[in-house]
Amino acid sequence: MITLAEQQAKVTNWPGYIGWAVGLLILIALVYWLMRQGWNWRRTLQSDLPPLPAVPEDPGPAIRQAAGRYHGSTTAGNWLDRVVAHGLGTRSLAELTLTERGLLVRRPGDADLWIPAEQLTGARTDSGIAGKVVPAGLLVVTWSLQGTALDSGFRADHPDEHAAWIEAVEALVTRTKTKKTEEAAS
């Protein structure tokens, strides 16, 4: 006859459980390390990307303002090709301010992003950008960094504002192009 103590001994295999737990922790650490190596490799590949424009002390009076989240930047037209150089791949909270001089993205805890009006090329809504898919849509601003076309994704706290943002950015792009054409003609 089997005693109660013998039955409990068969059920409790602590060395086996501890071994599996340690193995699982090692596997998780390895996957994290490989992901980090991939991020660093991508940063190295994108090291030829020119530096970001400096944030001006006075960006000018605000045309539009919104609070929300910055979801990252990709090469224009390729929503899966995340750009990580210069901190463009880091998601963060954001405060967007559109002025006549450009778009200012204040990111607490990360470097602010300044996109001069001359570098803006358009805006649209899209359903996703590099690891973030939102059925209600993201505000995607397209801009050029010294010849490299980029898309930057934002999600306003009030997504119903995206249409007004698109209209405002498109109007600024048109005014900037008109101004450049007039200056070239003079």
Side-chain angles (χ1 to χ4, degrees), residues 10-11 13-14 24 28 32 39 46 57 60 67 74 81 84 87-89 92 112 118 122 128 130 134 139 172 181 186:
K10 291 179 184 178
V11 175
N13 181 9
W14 288 110
L24 184 60
I28 290 170
Y32 176 77
W39 189 269
Q46 296 169 349
E57 293 209 13
T74 63
D81 186 23
V84 300
L88 291 174
S92 63
D112 294 340
E118 301 80 34
V134 180
L139 172 65
L172 179 60
T181 305
S186 318

Side-chain angles (χ1 to χ4, degrees), residues 1-175:
M1 180 160 200
I2 299 175
T3 66
L4 182 60
E6 291 173 341
Q7 287 178 350
Q8 288 178 343
K10 291 179 184 178
V11 175
T12 336
N13 181 9
W14 288 110
Y17 292 143
I18 291 172
W20 278 104
V22 168
L24 184 60
L25 288 174
I26 290 171
L27 180 65
I28 290 170
L30 176 65
V31 168
Y32 176 77
W33 179 79
L34 289 172
M35 288 173 32
R36 188 76 182 151
Q37 291 300 104
W39 189 269
N40 289 335
W41 176 73
R42 182 172 286 278
R43 183 181 299 124
T44 302
L45 287 178
Q46 296 169 349
S47 63
D48 61 338
L49 194 66
L52 298 174
V55 177
E57 293 209 13
D58 179 25
I63 297 172
R64 290 210 58 84
Q65 288 184 311
R69 291 189 75 60
Y70 169 76
H71 287 287
S73 294
T74 63
T75 55
N78 188 352
W79 71 283
L80 292 176
D81 186 23
R82 182 186 299 271
V83 175
V84 300
H86 309 302
L88 291 174
T90 308
R91 293 184 188 168
S92 63
L93 293 175
E95 293 176 9
L96 302 172
T97 305
L98 184 67
T99 71
E100 285 295 326
R101 295 179 57 201
L103 177 65
L104 176 61
V105 183
R106 296 244 183 239
R107 300 189 300 163
D110 208 340
D112 294 340
L113 174 61
W114 169 251
I115 305 172
E118 301 80 34
Q119 294 180 355
L120 286 169
T121 57
R124 67 183 190 282
T125 56
D126 212 331
S127 61
I129 191 164
K132 183 66 175 181
V133 176
V134 180
L138 294 170
L139 172 65
V140 178
V141 176
T142 304
W143 56 291
S144 176
L145 180 61
Q146 297 181 11
T148 304
L150 300 172
D151 286 338
S152 293
F154 306 95
R155 174 113 169 118
D157 287 343
H158 304 285
D160 53 329
E161 296 177 5
H162 289 176
W165 270 91
I166 293 169
E167 188 177 305
V169 169
E170 292 294 338
L172 179 60
V173 168
T174 302
R175 283 193 303 271

